[in-house]
């Protein structure tokens, strides 16, 4: 006998699972459409024309300073940093529930999985939105003429709307990609990664004795985002307004992910399967009284202070 889709919660049907299935199905269809369009298996949605005297699309293509594979692999760096942070700062006596025992390895993985899920959802959503805009807007890249090699010879300020790309030396994907300049996906992704991790480190890492370690990592993350964004202009892969739009999209995506998805990295707002030291969180930390160390579970005062900073 098949189980119903909706779960029983308190005698009432919970439609959340059915809603999740609908959302996953819709997202899957959108993702499939984007992938098939990118691979050239579906017809091009928008075909932009151009002016013959438009110098902004007549640059030479000389390769990518930061390739697509590199920017995609960089998306895994925040996951590694999150795991390292949680593994170093995880305290089993604080993070475990009263009824379960947990090891540092298992507990840090659980914390890493929680924050990484929010990061992954935000990043994937951002990339889907950027990909959709690219397909339906279809702005020409700065190296469009060099890559497409249209079968039209024109002079002056004539506008060309009917043309066919004759470049057979490059893949069909790369030739069609020359018509998808706005907005910059590299800029959006690198800025999203940088802001998310800067925010995460600021909220989750306690005040350590070293005053340079965390700011140095945050500075390196921001330098990566700036370098990646500017390289798209110097490589003639994007116009400056494409990079600006991608930067804005990445910033807004990171802010929404940190505030909505991660609740500003406030661990007290997390939904857990097991109750976590309820007395400890409310009596030892929230009260802030002088005798709070003697109330609830007998944890060390320094351990409590660190937990307050990490989970605030």
């Amino acid at each position: 006998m098949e189980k119903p889709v909706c779960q029983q919660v308190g005698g009432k049907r919970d439609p959340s699972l059915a809603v999740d299935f609908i959302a996953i199905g819709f997202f899957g269809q959108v993702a499939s459409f984007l992938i098939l369009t990118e691979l050239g298996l579906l017809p091009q949605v928008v075909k932009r024309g151009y002016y013959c005297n438009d110098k902004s699309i007549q640059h030479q293509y000389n390769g990518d300073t930061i390739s697509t594979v590199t920017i995609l692999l960089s998306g895994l760096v925040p996951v590694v940093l999150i795991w390292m942070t949680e593994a170093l700062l995880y305290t089993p006596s604080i993070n475990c529930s009263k009824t379960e025992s947990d090891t540092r390895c298992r507990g840090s993985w659980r914390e890493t999985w929680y924050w990484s899920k929010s990061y992954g959802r935000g990043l994937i959503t951002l990339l889907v939105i950027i990909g959709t805009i690219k397909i339906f807007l279809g702005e020409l890249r700065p190296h469009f003429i060099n890559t497409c090699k249209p079968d039209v010879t024109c002079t002056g300020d004539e506008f060309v709307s009917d043309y066919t790309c004759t470049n057979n030396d490059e893949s069909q994907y790369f030739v069609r990609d020359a018509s998808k300049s706005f907005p910059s996906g590299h800029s959006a992704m690198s800025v999203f990664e940088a802001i998310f991790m800067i925010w995460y480190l600021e909220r989750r890492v306690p005040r350590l004795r070293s005053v340079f370690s965390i700011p140095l990592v945050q500075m390196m993350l921001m330098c990566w985002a700036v370098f990646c964004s500017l390289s798209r202009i110097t490589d003639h892969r994007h116009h400056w307004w494409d990079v600006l739009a991608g930067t804005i999209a990445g910033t807004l995506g990171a802010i929404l992910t940190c505030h909505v998805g991660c609740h500003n990295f406030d661990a007290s707002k997390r939904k857990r399967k097991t109750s976590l030291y309820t007395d400890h969180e409310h009596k030892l930390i929230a009260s802030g009284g002088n005798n709070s160390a003697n109330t609830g579970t007998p944890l060390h005062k320094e351990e409590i202070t660190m937990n307050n900073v990490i989970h605030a």
Side-chain angles (χ1 to χ4, degrees):
M1 182 176 181
E2 297 182 355
K3 296 182 180 179
V5 175
C6 299
Q7 297 177 345
Q8 292 288 122
V9 179
K12 298 181 180 180
R13 283 186 175 273
D14 182 12
S16 59
L17 188 59
V19 173
D20 288 341
F21 275 121
I22 295 174
I24 292 174
F26 174 77
F27 182 83
Q29 291 180 350
V30 174
S32 299
F33 169 77
L34 294 178
I35 293 174
L36 293 176
T37 304
E38 288 285 345
L39 295 177
L41 300 178
L42 292 178
Q44 192 171 355
V45 177
V46 176
K47 187 176 182 179
R48 292 282 296 270
Y50 63 92
Y51 288 95
C52 296
N53 60 349
D54 187 358
K55 301 296 182 181
S56 65
I57 60 174
Q58 299 181 18
H59 293 278
Q60 189 75 18
Y61 172 71
N62 297 316
D64 294 315
T65 301
I66 299 176
S67 64
T68 302
V69 176
T70 302
I71 190 65
L72 290 177
L73 290 177
S74 71
L76 301 177
V77 174
V79 178
V80 176
L81 291 177
I82 291 173
W83 174 77
M84 292 176 60
T85 302
E86 297 295 339
L88 290 173
L89 301 177
Y90 181 79
T91 306
S93 60
I94 292 177
N95 293 277
C96 293
S97 67
K98 291 181 178 180
T99 59
E100 68 175 325
S101 60
D102 210 349
T103 63
R104 174 180 292 273
C105 182
R106 180 181 176 184
S108 61
W109 271 113
R110 186 180 62 246
E111 298 295 314
T112 301
W113 173 246
Y114 179 83
W115 302 116
S116 297
K117 280 195 304 182
S118 299
Y119 163 78
R121 284 195 296 263
L123 181 59
I124 292 175
T125 302
L126 174 67
L127 293 179
V128 169
I129 294 175
I130 294 295
T132 304
I133 296 176
K134 281 177 174 289
I135 289 176
F136 285 96
L137 192 59
E139 186 185 22
L140 306 181
R141 292 185 184 271
H143 58 87
F144 170 76
I145 298 296
N146 176 257
T147 301
C148 174
K149 297 179 181 179
D151 59 346
V152 176
T153 302
C154 62
T155 58
D157 57 354
E158 180 183 356
F159 182 78
V160 178
S161 59
D162 186 14
Y163 60 89
T164 301
C165 293
T166 62
N167 188 354
N168 296 322
D169 298 330
E170 303 289 348
S171 64
Q172 183 182 11
Y173 164 78
F174 184 74
V175 174
R176 295 182 65 172
D177 185 66
S179 301
K180 301 172 185 176
S181 183
F182 183 87
S184 173
H186 279 60
S187 301
M189 186 170 178
S190 60
V191 170
F192 178 90
E193 295 168 3
I195 294 180
F196 182 91
M197 281 309 303
I198 290 173
W199 205 320
Y200 169 84
L201 293 173
E202 191 68 24
R203 292 287 298 169
R204 293 284 293 167
V205 178
R207 297 182 182 274
L208 305 176
R209 293 183 179 180
S210 174
V211 296
F212 295 107
S213 56
I214 300 305
L216 180 61
V217 175
Q218 293 174 326
M219 183 182 66
M220 292 174 60
L221 290 167
M222 186 52 64
C223 287
W224 158 255
V226 173
F227 174 74
C228 183
S229 300
L230 293 181
S231 70
R232 305 307 287 172
I233 300 177
T234 58
D235 291 341
H236 301 303
R237 291 285 279 156
H238 287 285
H239 307 284
W240 66 265
W241 54 86
D242 303 331
V243 173
L244 178 61
T247 301
I248 294 174
T251 302
L252 293 177
I255 292 175
L256 289 175
T257 301
C258 293
H259 265 294
V260 179
C262 299
H263 304 289
N264 199 22
F265 298 104
D266 185 355
S268 64
K269 296 181 180 180
R270 289 177 48 178
K271 294 181 180 180
R272 300 175 185 261
K273 294 181 179 180
T274 56
S275 59
L276 299 183
Y277 276 134
T278 305
D279 295 337
H280 165 73
E281 290 181 355
H282 289 278
K283 295 181 180 180
L284 296 186
I285 295 176
S287 61
N290 295 329
N291 59 346
S292 59
N294 298 324
T295 307
T297 55
L299 296 177
H300 195 276
K301 179 179 290 186
E302 293 181 0
E303 194 176 48
I304 296 171
T305 303
M306 180 174 289
N307 184 62
N308 187 18
V309 175
I310 294 176
H311 296 284

